[in-house]
Amino acid sequence: MTATAPREEQLWSRCTGCATLLYRKRLRRNLDVCPECGVHARLSAPDRVRQLADPGSFRPLPDSPADVDPIGFVDVVPYPHRITAARAGTGLAEAVLCGTATLGGHPAALAVMDFRFLGGSLGCAVGELITRAAERALDDRVPLVLVTASGGARMQEGVLSLMQMATVSQAIAALREVGLLTVSVLTDPTYGGVAASFATNTDVVLAESGARMGFAGPRVIRQVTGRALPEGFQTADFLLRHGQVDMVVPRRALRGRLVALLAAARAGRASATAPPRVPTAAARPVVPRQQTPPAAEADPAASTGADPWTTVRLARHPGRPTTLDYLDSAFDGFVEMHGDRLGGDCPAVVGGLARLDGRPVMVIGHQKGHTTAELVSRNFGMASPAGHRKALRLMRLAARLGLPVVTLVDTPGADPGVDAEEQGQAAAIAENILALTVLPTPVVTVITGEGGSGGALALAVADRVLMLEHAVYSVISPEGCAAILWPDRSAAPEAARALRLTAPDLHRLGVVDEIVPEPPGAAHGDPEAAARALGEAVRANLLPLLDMSAATLVRRRRQRFRRFGAARAGIRSGAR
């Protein structure tokens, strides 16, 4: 609906669907759904809570976000100024409203996102608040209901915003392990990192009528593929036809559906014997009290002094060793395994059994190529849903066989194509992230070239994350960031500096555990030396993990990712 006066002062609104002029009070009585054409207007988080929760039952969590700027990001407007403007414009402290409530008398924890606040983007504070809502659900033994509305991860917080996908997913996993229901309600729009994590890895996924959801947005897909999009692409009905949601629900029926789900879950828990606690995974992890070092603080790893844009270009060099190159040099006896067992074999992901110093391991990685023909045949290392599902199958096989997993990450991001969206790209990434948070075997990741967004994270929720000296790891490409926040893409070098995407930056932020040095001239100058360094680094980081029990591995992995929200979100806790 469109209008010029503040929403609460409007007498009339014009429907964005049919252009009918509607009396505001009538529209509100109809839950902001056009009575003429049925278009569902976007709701604020407070309005959504009022529609779903029993009157007077909502209690906000006693946690409030402080000012947070974890990487000192500046584009044409400093990030803190954007936060201040969003708070003034919405009346909210952040892009999510979290609390407890009853729906039809059934208690639940709620996390409701608000697209008005910086596009509902997922940053450290948002991830921390949603995680705390999930932890409150775990403490109270009640279901968790998530209402999503987001453009994706918040690029102004760099790769730390990407980490929130794993942080929230592992909180969802903890609820799943003790048999507590999790429900997500997709509203318009839900994209990017939110779609590829907690929006699609809950037990039940509802889509409000008219909602759109996907990993890549329509504009990006058109730009990358040059293809016209199918009719109704990424809409709720499209998602239902392609098996990506449980049901499509009009707004007027949404509360009733949620009440029915909560009632069923409550009755089921009351009649069943309570499952045993799983202390290694379901218990809330103890979060180390770490703080982000100031940007100016010296770091022993930051010795190259290379310009970030130069590093980006090195990471993309066509001569840079690929996963198959490393498997040929740093590992022995690689036996490739194909297929996702559902109908596809993505060439952008390779994986199989290999040996490292005689020890069997499962190695999975993105595969690009060196020539144009190789790059095209491997889709430039951009995995399809079949690639993510193949990786998931091999990870689970490794766990059953008691083998450690080594992942090699080198991708601009997940496949942004129409076919990938039809096949459930967001859910495939989300399932990998969720599975890795509970995988009971050691996982070591090496960022070997480009670590692009959720496509990279789908292989990088690990016990130890290593990074080659001239690799990059980012929530978005510098070109993409520049196109959104700067006047044009020519600002990509400036965006690369702002995103803090180099190995020294990420080591300083605690995202990367160790930087693997490259030979003079970078890895493509001496691939054999680069392979030796990679093999030695993987071996050194893997050996201590082999002596840990599965319970300890899962607990420590969760602690590792949990701190990316708690230590950097600046959340002030009130008394419970």
Side-chain angles (χ1 to χ4, degrees), residues 309-523:
W309 183 242
T310 300
T311 304
V312 170
R313 296 172 67 184
L314 287 172
R316 295 171 175 173
H317 194 284
R320 197 167 181 84
T322 67
T323 291
L324 286 177
D325 293 329
Y326 286 121
L327 281 163
D328 188 52
S329 302
F331 299 84
D332 298 311
F334 175 58
V335 178
E336 186 171 359
M337 304 171 78
H338 293 270
D340 66 351
R341 296 295 188 272
L342 295 172
D345 181 38
C346 174
V349 174
V350 298
L353 297 170
R355 293 191 304 276
L356 181 65
D357 277 353
R359 181 182 300 277
V361 294
M362 185 71 77
V363 183
I364 306 164
H366 299 103
Q367 178 64 23
K368 287 184 175 179
H370 301 297
T371 67
T372 299
E374 289 174 345
L375 288 165
V376 171
S377 70
R378 298 285 184 174
N379 199 29
F380 298 87
M382 296 185 294
S384 68
H388 296 303
R389 290 167 182 147
K390 174 168 65 175
L392 179 62
R393 181 175 73 84
L394 297 182
M395 292 171 193
R396 288 174 170 166
L397 175 59
R400 289 196 297 274
L401 298 177
L403 301 179
V405 174
V406 177
T407 63
L408 306 181
V409 171
D410 185 13
T411 179
D415 183 1
V418 172
D419 292 344
E421 292 294 325
E422 290 178 339
Q423 295 161 17
Q425 183 71 283
I429 295 171
E431 187 62 25
N432 276 31
I433 293 170
L434 190 68
L436 279 168
T437 68
V438 298
L439 201 71
T441 196
V443 183
V444 174
T445 291
V446 187
I447 314 294
T448 62
E450 287 184 277
S453 189
L457 188 65
L459 294 185
V461 181
D463 301 296
R464 298 285 292 175
V465 178
L466 318 180
M467 191 168 175
L468 293 191
E469 181 182 355
H470 298 302
V472 294
Y473 191 15
S474 180
V475 65
I476 190 173
S477 70
E479 295 90 343
C481 182
I484 296 170
L485 295 180
W486 274 268
D488 55 59
R489 287 177 177 263
S490 65
E494 190 174 353
R497 289 187 285 272
L499 284 166
R500 302 287 192 267
L501 45 65
T502 67
D505 286 328
L506 299 176
H507 186 267
R508 186 161 52 246
L509 290 168
V511 173
V512 168
D513 299 295
E514 183 178 320
I515 298 174
V516 181
E518 298 186 27

Side-chain angles (χ1 to χ4, degrees), residues 78-457:
Y79 177 45
H81 292 184
R82 293 187 184 275
I83 291 288
T84 299
R87 288 175 175 170
T90 64
L92 297 176
E94 254 299 346
V96 67
L97 181 60
C98 298
T100 59
T102 59
L103 283 72
H106 304 290
L110 296 180
V112 182
M113 304 187 76
D114 197 314
F115 192 76
R116 300 174 305 155
F117 197 110
L118 296 181
S121 50
L122 176 63
C124 292
V126 173
E128 175 66 11
L129 288 168
I130 298 174
T131 298
R132 292 195 183 191
E135 291 173 346
R136 179 61 179 267
L138 184 64
D139 288 345
D140 294 352
R141 289 296 192 271
V142 298
L144 172 68
V145 176
L146 305 167
V147 182
T148 62
S150 176
R154 189 171 296 178
M155 68 189 77
Q156 293 93 340
E157 297 184 18
V159 78
L160 291 174
S161 65
L162 193 66
M163 297 299 104
Q164 305 312 310
M165 295 168 62
T167 300
V168 179
S169 292
Q170 66 187 25
I172 299 291
L175 294 171
R176 179 180 290 189
E177 288 160 358
V178 297
L180 290 170
L181 177 69
T182 57
V183 181
S184 63
V185 179
L186 309 178
T187 74
D188 188 56
T190 297
Y191 282 100
V194 171
S197 57
F198 54 88
T200 52
N201 62 20
T202 54
D203 298 313
V204 180
V205 181
L206 311 183
E208 184 176 69
S209 296
R212 294 169 297 157
M213 187 277 287
F215 180 63
R219 185 181 68 174
V220 171
I221 296 172
R222 280 192 293 263
Q223 288 175 344
V224 171
T225 66
R227 291 176 55 183
L229 302 182
E231 183 70 24
F233 184 64
Q234 295 182 325
T235 62
D237 290 335
F238 171 95
L239 299 172
L240 185 65
R241 288 197 306 273
H242 288 86
Q244 297 178 37
V245 298
D246 289 283
M247 63 190 84
V248 176
V249 186
R251 185 170 293 164
R252 187 165 291 281
L254 186 57
R255 172 179 154 85
R257 290 295 168 84
L258 289 173
V259 169
L261 287 169
L262 298 182
R266 192 175 187 182
R269 286 185 61 81
S271 62
T273 302
R277 286 288 299 231
V278 184
T280 60
R284 183 185 302 183
V286 178
V287 183
R289 295 293 297 173
Q290 297 189 5
Q291 298 295 327
T292 305
E297 184 175 324
D299 187 282
S303 58
T304 63
D307 178 72
W309 183 242
T310 300
T311 304
V312 170
R313 296 172 67 184
L314 287 172
R316 295 171 175 173
H317 194 284
R320 197 167 181 84
T322 67
T323 291
L324 286 177
D325 293 329
Y326 286 121
L327 281 163
D328 188 52
S329 302
F331 299 84
D332 298 311
F334 175 58
V335 178
E336 186 171 359
M337 304 171 78
H338 293 270
D340 66 351
R341 296 295 188 272
L342 295 172
D345 181 38
C346 174
V349 174
V350 298
L353 297 170
R355 293 191 304 276
L356 181 65
D357 277 353
R359 181 182 300 277
V361 294
M362 185 71 77
V363 183
I364 306 164
H366 299 103
Q367 178 64 23
K368 287 184 175 179
H370 301 297
T371 67
T372 299
E374 289 174 345
L375 288 165
V376 171
S377 70
R378 298 285 184 174
N379 199 29
F380 298 87
M382 296 185 294
S384 68
H388 296 303
R389 290 167 182 147
K390 174 168 65 175
L392 179 62
R393 181 175 73 84
L394 297 182
M395 292 171 193
R396 288 174 170 166
L397 175 59
R400 289 196 297 274
L401 298 177
L403 301 179
V405 174
V406 177
T407 63
L408 306 181
V409 171
D410 185 13
T411 179
D415 183 1
V418 172
D419 292 344
E421 292 294 325
E422 290 178 339
Q423 295 161 17
Q425 183 71 283
I429 295 171
E431 187 62 25
N432 276 31
I433 293 170
L434 190 68
L436 279 168
T437 68
V438 298
L439 201 71
T441 196
V443 183
V444 174
T445 291
V446 187
I447 314 294
T448 62
E450 287 184 277
S453 189
L457 188 65

